[in-house]
Amino acid sequence: MVERFSFGVNPITCHAWNKDRSQVALSPNNHEVHIYKREANDWRLINVLNQHDLRVTGIDWAPNTNRIVTCAADRNAYVWTQGSDGNWKPTLVLLRINRAATCVKWSPFENKFAVGSGARLISVCYFEKENDWWVSKHIKKPIRSTVTSLDWHPNNLILVAGLTDFKVRVFSAYIKLLEEPNDGGSPWCKKAGGPGSLGTLLAEFTNSPSGGGWVHGVSFSGDGNRICWVGHDSSISVADASRGMAVTKLRTEFLPFNTCTWVGPNNIVVAGHNCCPLLYTFDSSGQLSYSCKLDNSQKKEAGGLSAMRKFQSLDRQARIENDTALETVHQNAITGLCLYSGSKGAITKFSTSGIDGQLVVWDMNLLEKGIQNMRLN
């Protein structure tokens, strides 16, 4: 049901896949990006991208144009293109920020990307052919805190951001030089009568009236009409633009989540400090409910001893068991979640990376067969 791969003892900050999933780019919690190629059941290091000076905070790999974008705490972003010799050439992006870049995401059409930062703004970047470089336009107001996460609407014109001021904001990311303002009748643009100019605030949601903690992850649904987000108060929320911007929030009993994504029209997978991905369902009545834990692995009993024999051994030998292994595949917090197979809102496989240095691929179809009461719809 899962494929586990270990890439050493260093935490994996973030990861991204190429189009056919034969290669993966990941950062081992430093200034480098390592590119591995799959060979049977093993991975071989084929490239190291080391242009950044400080820790890499975001990676995204555009599947169709085969370009990698990276951002880091050194306030820079690079677009990497692969030459005929297989080596990757970096192009500096003019972000014009004075604080660390925190996250990066290609748009669905791969003609622009967005970079969040601690500079209290979002840089929407595109390629300027006349000068042969990547330039950025800023979304500033009403952002007054660090941008922690980003996601694009399927129409390529709308951007959602999660922030540390406990807010989720939906902005227009329309750039006149690149595209036509065709929003496809999106309910997010209904009030404004269209996508508007770059930076137009289309919607704003608070994680709770009393704050609710930083927003760690945001995600648009497959049709783009809903967004979900997770906060540091161990909550998961959904806003539905097709139902008058109705917001549903569910506080959970788990540790805080770091990331989330839609795996079906009504199914959301979240992951974070609980060390395992969890499935939630958003039904037609607008109710959000917990479905199941996707990690059904169980802790092995040490040496096959029963609980009674363990205590007898402790009594006779004054020996304490030091078994610190968790009952989950990941042995530490999950930091990233990526689509592996399928499409947004109809995912058949996804991958997670964590502080334990592991990369795990989860098969939703096999999980549905193996876990009782799990239903995807």
Side-chain angles (χ1 to χ4, degrees):
M1 289 188 286
V2 299
E3 290 182 281
R4 301 173 59 172
F5 307 104
S6 180
F7 291 89
V9 297
N10 291 329
I12 298 176
T13 310
C14 45
H15 74 284
W17 299 92
N18 71 339
K19 186 174 184 177
D20 62 5
R21 304 319 190 236
S22 62
Q23 296 180 29
V24 63
L26 57 86
S27 175
N29 201 40
N30 58 19
H31 69 285
E32 296 178 340
V33 174
H34 294 180
I35 299 179
Y36 290 87
K37 184 175 183 179
R38 186 163 188 173
E39 295 180 346
N41 290 323
D42 202 7
W43 294 88
R44 178 171 63 89
L45 181 65
I46 57 172
N47 285 107
V48 177
L49 314 183
N50 56 5
Q51 197 70 21
H52 288 287
D53 297 324
L54 295 176
R55 188 173 70 94
V56 173
T57 54
I59 305 170
D60 202 15
W61 199 327
N64 298 315
T65 55
N66 195 36
R67 292 184 299 210
I68 298 174
V69 60
T70 61
C71 68
D74 60 4
R75 302 170 296 173
N76 289 325
Y78 292 95
V79 174
W80 303 80
T81 52
Q82 191 173 27
S84 56
D85 57 356
N87 293 323
W88 292 87
K89 178 186 174 184
T91 303
L92 179 66
V93 182
L94 301 177
L95 290 181
R96 299 182 291 124
I97 58 175
N98 57 5
R99 295 291 186 273
T102 54
C103 52
V104 64
K105 195 84 171 176
W106 279 107
S107 70
F109 297 169
E110 301 175 17
N111 58 349
K112 56 187 175 181
F113 59 88
V115 180
S117 70
R120 302 184 297 179
L121 56 85
I122 300 169
S123 299
V124 180
C125 310
Y126 62 97
F127 189 72
E128 199 173 67
K129 292 182 180 179
E130 293 78 10
N131 297 310
D132 195 32
W133 60 11
W134 290 85
V135 296
S136 64
K137 291 181 178 290
H138 288 169
I139 298 175
K140 293 182 178 181
K141 293 181 180 180
I143 300 173
R144 288 292 177 266
S145 63
T146 298
V147 180
T148 57
S149 54
L150 296 165
D151 197 26
W152 287 89
H153 190 282
N155 68 12
N156 208 66
L157 300 176
I158 303 172
L159 188 67
V160 61
L163 303 103
T164 58
D165 61 356
F166 321 140
K167 297 287 180 63
V168 172
R169 295 185 174 97
V170 180
F171 294 102
S172 167
Y174 165 62
I175 296 178
K176 190 175 181 180
L177 296 172
L178 290 182
E179 54 215 343
E180 294 296 324
N182 181 15
D183 58 42
S186 171
W188 298 103
C189 303
K190 190 174 181 180
K191 187 176 180 181
S197 58
L198 179 76
T200 301
L201 182 65
L202 302 177
E204 180 179 274
F205 308 99
T206 183
N207 202 26
S208 83
S210 57
W214 292 2
V215 176
H216 288 307
V218 293
S219 177
F220 268 111
S221 60
D223 60 6
N225 291 340
R226 300 168 178 169
I227 55 173
C228 67
W229 68 87
V230 290
H232 200 71
D233 59 346
S234 301
S235 69
I236 174 172
S237 305
V238 174
D240 193 341
S242 61
R243 297 174 62 243
M245 305 294 175
V247 178
T248 304
K249 178 170 181 174
L250 178 66
R251 292 186 183 273
T252 73
E253 60 185 3
F254 303 104
L255 294 175
F257 306 123
N258 290 328
T259 181
C260 62
T261 192
W262 293 83
V263 295
N266 302 305
N267 299 110
I268 304 165
V269 166
V270 299
H273 294 277
N274 235 60
C275 308
C276 70
L278 306 170
L279 182 69
Y280 284 83
T281 300
F282 184 74
D283 61 29
S284 57
S285 63
Q287 295 300 310
L288 192 59
S289 60
Y290 170 73
S291 293
C292 64
K293 174 181 170 183
L294 296 182
D295 189 345
N296 61 353
S297 58
Q298 295 184 353
K299 195 172 182 178
K300 293 181 180 178
E301 215 173 329
L305 297 177
S306 66
M308 181 178 290
R309 291 184 62 187
K310 283 183 182 180
F311 282 110
Q312 288 173 345
S313 173
L314 179 63
D315 184 46
R316 286 196 305 267
Q317 302 174 17
R319 189 164 54 89
I320 300 174
E321 296 284 345
N322 287 320
D323 185 9
T324 57
L326 301 179
E327 298 178 4
T328 54
V329 175
H330 279 288
Q331 294 297 298
N332 212 322
I334 294 172
T335 55
L337 193 157
C338 287
L339 184 154
Y340 184 87
S341 178
S343 59
K344 189 72 177 287
I347 294 176
T348 54
K349 291 183 180 180
F350 66 91
S351 61
T352 55
S353 58
I355 296 177
D356 57 358
Q358 285 194 105
L359 182 68
V360 182
V361 178
W362 307 80
D363 190 321
M364 296 296 291
N365 293 327
L366 293 178
L367 288 169
E368 189 174 11
K369 294 176 183 177
I371 299 177
Q372 192 176 7
N373 299 326
M374 177 178 169
R375 296 290 180 270
L376 295 177
N377 49 32

Coordinates of all heavy atoms in Angstrom, one line a residue, residues 17-20 23 60-69 79-83 88 106 110:
W17 N 8.3 16.3 -8.0 CA 8.5 15.2 -9.0 C 8.5 15.8 -10.4 O 7.9 16.8 -10.7 CB 7.4 14.2 -8.9 CG 7.2 13.5 -7.6 CD1 6.4 13.9 -6.6 CD2 7.9 12.3 -7.2 NE1 6.6 13.0 -5.5 CE2 7.4 12.0 -5.9 CE3 8.8 11.5 -7.8 CZ2 7.9 10.9 -5.2 CZ3 9.3 10.4 -7.1 CH2 8.8 10.1 -5.8
N18 N 9.2 15.1 -11.3 CA 9.2 15.4 -12.7 C 7.9 14.8 -13.3 O 7.1 14.1 -12.6 CB 10.4 15.0 -13.4 CG 10.5 13.4 -13.6 OD1 9.9 12.7 -12.8 ND2 11.3 13.0 -14.5
K19 N 7.7 14.9 -14.6 CA 6.4 14.5 -15.2 C 6.1 13.0 -15.1 O 5.0 12.6 -14.7 CB 6.4 14.9 -16.7 CG 5.0 14.7 -17.3 CD 5.0 15.3 -18.7 CE 3.6 15.1 -19.3 NZ 3.5 15.7 -20.7
D20 N 7.1 12.2 -15.4 CA 6.9 10.7 -15.4 C 7.3 10.1 -14.1 O 7.3 8.8 -14.0 CB 7.6 10.1 -16.6 CG 9.2 10.2 -16.5 OD1 9.6 10.8 -15.5 OD2 9.8 9.8 -17.4
Q23 N 12.1 10.9 -11.6 CA 13.1 11.7 -10.9 C 12.4 12.6 -9.8 O 11.2 12.9 -10.0 CB 13.9 12.7 -11.8 CG 14.7 12.0 -12.9 CD 15.4 12.9 -13.8 OE1 15.8 14.0 -13.4 NE2 15.7 12.5 -15.0
D60 N 9.4 23.5 -6.8 CA 8.3 23.1 -7.7 C 8.8 22.7 -9.1 O 9.7 23.5 -9.6 CB 7.2 24.1 -7.7 CG 5.8 23.5 -8.1 OD1 5.7 22.3 -8.1 OD2 4.9 24.3 -8.5
W61 N 8.3 21.6 -9.6 CA 8.8 21.2 -10.9 C 7.7 21.2 -11.9 O 6.7 20.5 -11.7 CB 9.3 19.7 -10.7 CG 10.3 19.2 -11.8 CD1 10.2 19.5 -13.1 CD2 11.3 18.3 -11.6 NE1 11.2 18.9 -13.8 CE2 11.9 18.1 -12.9 CE3 11.9 17.6 -10.6 CZ2 13.0 17.3 -13.1 CZ3 12.9 16.8 -10.8 CH2 13.5 16.6 -12.0
A62 N 7.8 22.0 -12.9 CA 6.8 22.1 -13.9 C 6.8 20.9 -14.9 O 7.8 20.7 -15.5 CB 6.9 23.4 -14.8
P63 N 5.8 20.1 -14.9 CA 5.8 18.8 -15.7 C 6.0 19.0 -17.2 O 6.7 18.2 -17.8 CB 4.5 18.1 -15.3 CG 3.6 19.2 -14.9 CD 4.5 20.3 -14.2
N64 N 5.3 20.0 -17.8 CA 5.3 20.1 -19.2 C 6.5 20.8 -19.8 O 7.0 20.4 -20.8 CB 4.0 20.7 -19.7 CG 2.8 19.9 -19.3 OD1 2.7 18.7 -19.4 ND2 1.7 20.6 -18.7
T65 N 6.9 21.9 -19.1 CA 8.0 22.7 -19.6 C 9.3 22.2 -19.0 O 10.4 22.6 -19.4 CB 7.9 24.2 -19.3 OG1 7.7 24.3 -17.8 CG2 6.7 24.8 -20.0
N66 N 9.3 21.2 -18.1 CA 10.4 20.6 -17.4 C 11.4 21.7 -16.8 O 12.6 21.6 -17.0 CB 11.2 19.7 -18.4 CG 12.2 18.8 -17.7 OD1 11.9 18.3 -16.6 ND2 13.3 18.6 -18.3
R67 N 10.8 22.6 -16.1 CA 11.6 23.7 -15.4 C 11.4 23.5 -13.9 O 10.2 23.3 -13.5 CB 11.2 25.1 -15.9 CG 11.5 25.4 -17.3 CD 11.2 26.8 -17.7 NE 9.8 27.1 -17.6 CZ 9.2 28.0 -18.4 NH1 9.8 28.6 -19.3 NH2 7.9 28.2 -18.2
I68 N 12.4 23.7 -13.2 CA 12.4 23.7 -11.7 C 12.5 25.1 -11.2 O 13.4 25.8 -11.7 CB 13.5 22.8 -11.1 CG1 13.4 21.3 -11.6 CG2 13.5 22.8 -9.6 CD1 14.5 20.4 -11.2
V69 N 11.7 25.4 -10.3 CA 11.8 26.7 -9.6 C 12.1 26.4 -8.1 O 11.5 25.6 -7.5 CB 10.6 27.6 -9.7 CG1 9.3 27.0 -9.2 CG2 10.8 29.0 -9.1
V79 N 15.1 29.8 -11.5 CA 14.4 28.9 -12.5 C 15.5 28.1 -13.2 O 16.4 28.7 -13.7 CB 13.6 29.7 -13.5 CG1 13.0 28.7 -14.5 CG2 12.4 30.4 -12.8
W80 N 15.4 26.8 -13.1 CA 16.4 25.9 -13.6 C 15.9 25.2 -14.9 O 14.8 24.6 -14.9 CB 16.8 24.8 -12.5 CG 17.3 25.4 -11.2 CD1 16.5 25.8 -10.2 CD2 18.6 25.5 -10.8 NE1 17.3 26.3 -9.2 CE2 18.6 26.0 -9.5 CE3 19.8 25.1 -11.3 CZ2 19.7 26.3 -8.7 CZ3 21.0 25.4 -10.6 CH2 20.9 25.9 -9.3
T81 N 16.7 25.3 -15.9 CA 16.4 24.6 -17.2 C 17.5 23.6 -17.5 O 18.7 23.9 -17.3 CB 16.3 25.7 -18.3 OG1 17.5 26.5 -18.4 CG2 15.1 26.5 -18.1
Q82 N 17.1 22.5 -18.1 CA 18.0 21.4 -18.3 C 18.6 21.5 -19.7 O 17.8 21.6 -20.7 CB 17.4 20.1 -18.1 CG 18.3 18.9 -18.1 CD 17.6 17.6 -17.7 OE1 16.4 17.4 -17.9 NE2 18.4 16.7 -17.1
G83 N 19.9 21.5 -19.8 CA 20.6 21.5 -21.1 C 20.6 20.2 -21.8 O 20.2 19.2 -21.2
W88 N 21.7 21.2 -15.2 CA 20.7 22.3 -15.0 C 21.4 23.6 -14.9 O 22.3 23.8 -14.1 CB 19.9 21.9 -13.7 CG 19.1 20.7 -13.8 CD1 19.5 19.4 -13.6 CD2 17.7 20.7 -14.2 NE1 18.4 18.6 -13.8 CE2 17.3 19.3 -14.2 CE3 16.8 21.6 -14.6 CZ2 16.1 18.9 -14.6 CZ3 15.5 21.2 -14.9 CH2 15.1 19.9 -14.9
W106 N 4.3 26.8 -9.2 CA 4.1 27.1 -10.6 C 2.5 27.2 -10.8 O 1.8 26.5 -10.2 CB 4.6 26.0 -11.5 CG 6.0 26.0 -11.8 CD1 7.0 25.2 -11.3 CD2 6.7 26.9 -12.7 NE1 8.2 25.5 -11.8 CE2 8.1 26.5 -12.7 CE3 6.3 27.9 -13.5 CZ2 9.0 27.2 -13.5 CZ3 7.2 28.6 -14.3 CH2 8.6 28.2 -14.3
E110 N 1.9 27.0 -16.4 CA 3.4 27.1 -16.3 C 4.0 28.3 -16.9 O 5.2 28.2 -17.3 CB 4.0 25.8 -16.8 CG 3.5 24.5 -16.1 CD 4.0 23.2 -16.7 OE1 4.9 23.3 -17.5 OE2 3.4 22.2 -16.4

